[in-house]
Amino acid sequence: MTNANPESTDTHLISNFLRDLIAEDVRTKKYGDAQIQTRFPPEPNGYLHIGHAKAICLDFGLADEFGGKTNLRFDDTNPSKEETEYVDSIQKDVRWLGFDWEKLCYASDYFGQLYEWALQLIKAGKSYVDDLTADEIRQYRGTLTEPGKDSPYRNRSIDENLDLFMRMKQGEFPDGSRVLRAKIDMYSPNLNMRDPVMYRILHATHHRTGDEWCIYPMYDYAHGQSDSIEQVTHSMCTLEFADHQPLYKWYIAQLGIFPSEQIEFDRLNLTYTMLSKRKLLQLVQENRVKGWDDPRMPTLSGFRRRGFTPEAIRAFVGSIGATRSNGVTDIEMLEHFQRDDLNRRSARAMSVLHPLKLVIDNYPKGEVEFVEVANNPEDPSAGTRQVPFSREIYIEQDDFREVPPPKYYRLSPGKEVRLRNAYFVTAQSVVKDAAGNIVEVHCTYDPASRGGNSPDGRKVKSTMHWVSAAHAISAEVRLYDKLFTKADPYDFAEGQDVLSNLNPNSLEILTGAKLEPSLANAKLEDRFQFERVGYFAVDPDSTPGKLVFNRTLPLKDTWAKIEKKAGA
Ligand code: ATP
Ligand code: MG
């Protein structure tokens, strides 16, 4: 399912119930004269992915629209899984997407306050220390169809609870031996309300608080209050948290603190794409990809390295809006937005990925001339450049057939084609190696067709890109395909897992590509359309003598085709 028209980049026209809701709160002055305050709350246990981009654009984008502010808050309640590498990458990626935060916050900043609030709940008889094991707690919780039952420790005295909780904090007890729980209702139809755990004992070093704490708050105990501390007016999150909302409200009501409003929206799911951080980490750890920023990864750093632009990602996210039910968006739609952006902005260049030498027998040996080429036909202000032409050039292997199949309009013996911006050439003969492979094609050119048109009005059916052999620079080119072979990577046989759907051919490395000489100056973040071939970006693996290019996308816009087929 796709839920928007990709041609429409005016995001205001796209249904987004969150925008409507905030607009209404602003109109009715629900928060008085206070500004809209949102937050983006990633857990620093992985790199941000394209799904997070949606949350970021909503959190930051909507606050911007209504003159409000957004905090970046790291939900770092889980010391064993979090790393500063992730904290740094997340900040970089949010900025890259084009946003900046009002305050940089950490849930761990609130550990002291959260502890005080826990004491307050114990004193109010709303929280107790439980000695059941994790397994027992699970058994006592019941199921969706069966009620839970009370823990034998549920009715401990307030004094005993206070004493035990403080001793938990002081490190007297081993990991897992006790927890602090909220005393709500073991018979609630909502499992989250069946005396959820608030604190667990974990003698672990935290990336920010070090060894100061050996008890850590659960995400569900920290999240709502963190919003409240930051006076978040609209706390937007994905739909799976809807069932947790009553619990966040319960804590806030018991503590009598600022009531942030939580609003849930649909997760972004993309075809051929897996967005589980745990599984993405596994891809990295098992070297199935070359790190979190491998251009095949759905991470923002992967997209960046591949050559995607923040503008295109924002336009895509804006176009899908936000709803109250989860769906799946076609990856082609994201690619469509990217092509659209690159088509308008990227410089054109000629590059031959699979070179075949073409010798122009009647072109003077040793002569070099320069043809003028537009840098971007979509953007006259991008100017022109001079491209060298000479007797020996490279063309794509695919652009020549000794025996042309039906409807093959490119070069073959006796056929005339146009070399882009240069001349008409007619193939005459081939040179083969001992194994019978064609290593050279010989042709003749028509000197009168300079610039790509013949004065007698002769037509050719094909225009090909080329690179002068003597001037070409060699480069490595990496071609990427989808990381998964199935539109739904989670569609796997029993006993298998999602990684069984990995595409074994998602990366192809070409080491002998020949590029026009102007590309020698290409630098990181430069993006090009290699004519007739695709969109390409410089990879950070490039060194001064050896450029490496990533194919961002091939030229063909499958989304446009799908749309046409659908009659849209
Ligand atoms: P985890 O499995 O580690 O909980 P997560 O994807 O929920 O992963 P968080 O770091 O907790 O990761 O996410 C930060 C914010 O991004 C949350 O508000 C979450 O709702 C939102 N988010 C995460 N994945 C998506 C997605 N696919 N689409 C939209 N928003 C998302
Ligand atoms: Mg999460």
Side-chain angles (χ1 to χ4, degrees):
M1 172 197 123
T2 45
N3 32 19
N5 172 6
E7 294 309 323
S8 171
T9 44
D10 181 350
T11 55
H12 290 266
L13 299 176
I14 288 150
S15 122
N16 180 334
F17 77 100
L18 294 164
R19 175 181 294 116
D20 301 343
L21 215 141
I22 296 175
E24 183 62 10
D25 289 347
V26 169
R27 195 185 65 78
T28 60
K29 290 201 170 235
K30 181 170 174 188
Y31 296 92
D33 291 323
Q35 275 180 330
I36 296 300
Q37 175 74 54
T38 64
R39 86 291 169 261
F40 171 62
E43 184 180 345
N45 61 349
Y47 280 58
L48 295 180
H49 55 57
I50 187 76
H52 292 117
K54 171 170 175 171
I56 293 169
C57 290
L58 290 170
D59 291 329
F60 285 89
L62 290 174
D64 280 351
E65 260 180 55
F66 291 97
K69 304 207 154 130
T70 306
N71 293 341
L72 173 59
R73 182 202 313 142
F74 289 105
D75 252 313
D76 58 351
T77 49
N78 191 354
S80 44
K81 279 204 255 160
E82 290 147 4
E83 285 179 36
T84 26
E85 177 194 352
Y86 301 138
V87 168
D88 296 340
S89 75
I90 288 169
Q91 295 183 51
K92 182 174 173 186
D93 290 346
V94 170
R95 288 214 169 93
W96 178 74
L97 253 196
F99 298 105
D100 207 352
W101 43 91
E102 168 73 2
K103 282 192 223 144
L104 184 62
C105 309
Y106 294 83
S108 56
D109 292 342
Y110 312 137
F111 281 174
Q113 175 69 77
L114 291 167
Y115 176 75
E116 293 301 321
W117 279 335
L119 294 176
Q120 191 180 324
L121 289 174
I122 296 172
K123 287 177 194 159
K126 299 288 181 185
S127 177
Y128 62 98
V129 172
D130 198 347
D131 298 358
L132 291 182
T133 64
D135 265 351
E136 287 166 333
I137 289 180
R138 212 169 298 124
Q139 283 162 23
Y140 276 65
R141 184 175 293 128
T143 63
L144 280 173
T145 49
E146 280 169 54
K149 57 179 182 183
D150 289 355
S151 162
Y153 303 98
R154 197 171 197 263
N155 292 315
R156 277 181 159 146
S157 71
I158 289 175
D159 284 344
E160 190 184 1
N161 280 322
L162 277 176
D163 173 62
L164 285 172
F165 184 53
M166 287 191 281
R167 285 162 62 195
M168 277 168 63
K169 177 182 184 265
Q170 277 148 23
E172 262 186 54
F173 309 121
D175 288 2
S177 57
R178 291 195 158 91
V179 293
L180 183 72
R181 299 178 73 170
K183 197 176 196 174
I184 308 179
D185 179 7
M186 289 308 291
Y187 306 95
S188 169
N190 183 342
L191 286 154
N192 295 299
M193 300 299 272
R194 294 184 190 170
D195 291 10
V197 173
M198 293 164 54
Y199 272 92
R200 64 230 197 267
I201 303 173
L202 212 57
H203 290 84
T205 305
H206 186 275
H207 75 119
R208 294 188 77 239
T209 57
D211 294 320
E212 189 184 337
W213 296 88
C214 62
I215 53 169
Y216 288 95
M218 301 300 289
Y219 179 85
D220 275 352
Y221 176 66
H223 191 79
Q225 289 97 297
S226 300
D227 282 345
S228 182
I229 291 170
E230 293 170 22
Q231 309 245 316
V232 167
T233 55
H234 298 81
S235 174
M236 291 171 269
C237 64
T238 36
L239 285 168
E240 70 272 20
F241 291 103
D243 286 348
H244 299 241
Q245 180 169 162
L247 175 57
Y248 302 162
K249 280 193 167 146
W250 186 88
Y251 286 128
I252 282 174
Q254 299 304 318
L255 297 168
I257 55 178
F258 181 87
S260 302
E261 187 185 350
Q262 174 169 309
I263 320 154
E264 303 91 10
F265 62 88
D266 59 319
R267 276 184 101 79
L268 172 67
N269 295 303
L270 281 176
T271 54
Y272 297 98
T273 308
M274 179 193 74
L275 296 178
S276 151
K277 277 194 274 185
R278 192 173 57 83
K279 282 283 171 191
L280 292 173
L281 175 64
Q282 191 185 342
L283 290 178
V284 173
Q285 286 175 336
E286 293 178 3
N287 294 316
R288 311 277 196 128
V289 294
K290 295 183 208 144
W292 283 98
D293 71 342
D294 186 299
R296 292 165 292 178
M297 289 283 269
T299 52
L300 294 181
S301 52
F303 279 117
R304 173 169 60 235
R305 184 164 180 182
R306 182 148 163 176
F308 275 64
T309 61
E311 290 83 357
I313 293 176
R314 289 200 307 263
F316 163 70
V317 167
S319 81
I320 56 179
T323 72
R324 294 274 314 166
S325 63
N326 282 321
V328 183
T329 301
D330 287 325
I331 183 85
E332 287 84 2
M333 187 165 152
L334 168 62
E335 295 175 349
H336 169 81
F337 275 93
Q338 189 54 73
R339 282 196 184 88
D340 193 48
D341 183 38
L342 289 173
N343 181 42
R344 270 182 280 116
R345 296 198 293 158
S346 64
R348 270 49 172 180
M350 290 198 286
S351 294
V352 175
L353 300 194
H354 300 92
L356 171 64
K357 188 166 275 182
L358 182 71
V359 182
I360 307 164
D361 291 328
N362 60 338
Y363 192 90
K365 275 188 185 149
E367 187 164 316
V368 179
E369 63 184 301
F370 287 85
V371 298
E372 190 172 7
V373 179
N375 286 329
N376 183 354
E378 302 281 322
D379 174 14
S381 74
T384 60
R385 68 189 185 287
Q386 301 289 325
V387 179
F389 183 85
S390 64
R391 187 171 187 269
E392 296 195 359
I393 62 178
Y394 291 113
I395 60 170
E396 295 285 352
Q397 287 167 15
D398 263 357
D399 282 342
F400 178 80
R401 284 285 176 277
E402 190 177 17
V403 182
K407 295 196 179 158
Y408 185 86
Y409 298 126
R410 290 170 271 173
L411 200 59
S412 59
K415 277 267 172 58
E416 187 171 50
V417 301
R418 176 188 294 111
L419 294 176
R420 190 164 176 76
N421 296 304
Y423 292 101
F424 284 10
V425 291
T426 305
Q428 306 295 350
S429 61
V430 298
V431 177
K432 293 185 181 176
D433 64 12
N437 303 308
I438 297 171
V439 291
E440 235 173 68
V441 174
H442 285 253
C443 69
T444 51
Y445 85 120
D446 174 5
S449 63
R450 192 178 199 281
N453 289 299
S454 81
D456 62 10
R458 212 157 73 237
K459 294 267 182 288
V460 289
K461 283 206 164 127
S462 188
T463 299
M464 296 169 10
H465 61 283
W466 50 272
V467 174
S468 166
H471 304 88
I473 55 168
S474 295
E476 178 176 318
V477 172
R478 299 175 184 170
L479 306 179
Y480 301 100
D481 198 353
K482 296 183 168 79
L483 191 52
F484 288 91
T485 53
K486 286 198 178 151
D488 176 8
Y490 290 93
D491 172 19
F492 48 80
E494 216 185 305
Q496 298 275 15
D497 91 331
V498 59
L499 301 192
S500 65
N501 287 327
L502 275 176
N503 176 3
N505 304 313
S506 56
L507 169 64
E508 185 186 352
I509 298 178
L510 307 176
T511 50
K514 300 291 185 186
L515 279 44
E516 70 165 70
S518 71
L519 288 169
N521 305 317
K523 47 190 195 314
L524 208 58
E525 309 240 316
D526 282 351
R527 300 179 178 93
F528 301 91
Q529 185 194 105
F530 290 174
E531 293 195 38
R532 297 177 67 229
V533 178
Y535 295 103
F536 289 80
V538 178
D539 188 85
D541 283 348
S542 297
T543 53
K546 189 196 162 215
L547 281 167
V548 178
F549 282 89
N550 294 318
R551 183 173 69 190
T552 310
L553 288 169
L555 281 184
K556 186 176 64 168
D557 191 336
T558 40
W559 173 256
K561 254 195 218 153
I562 290 169
E563 222 198 359
K564 217 181 207 170
K565 231 199 246 160

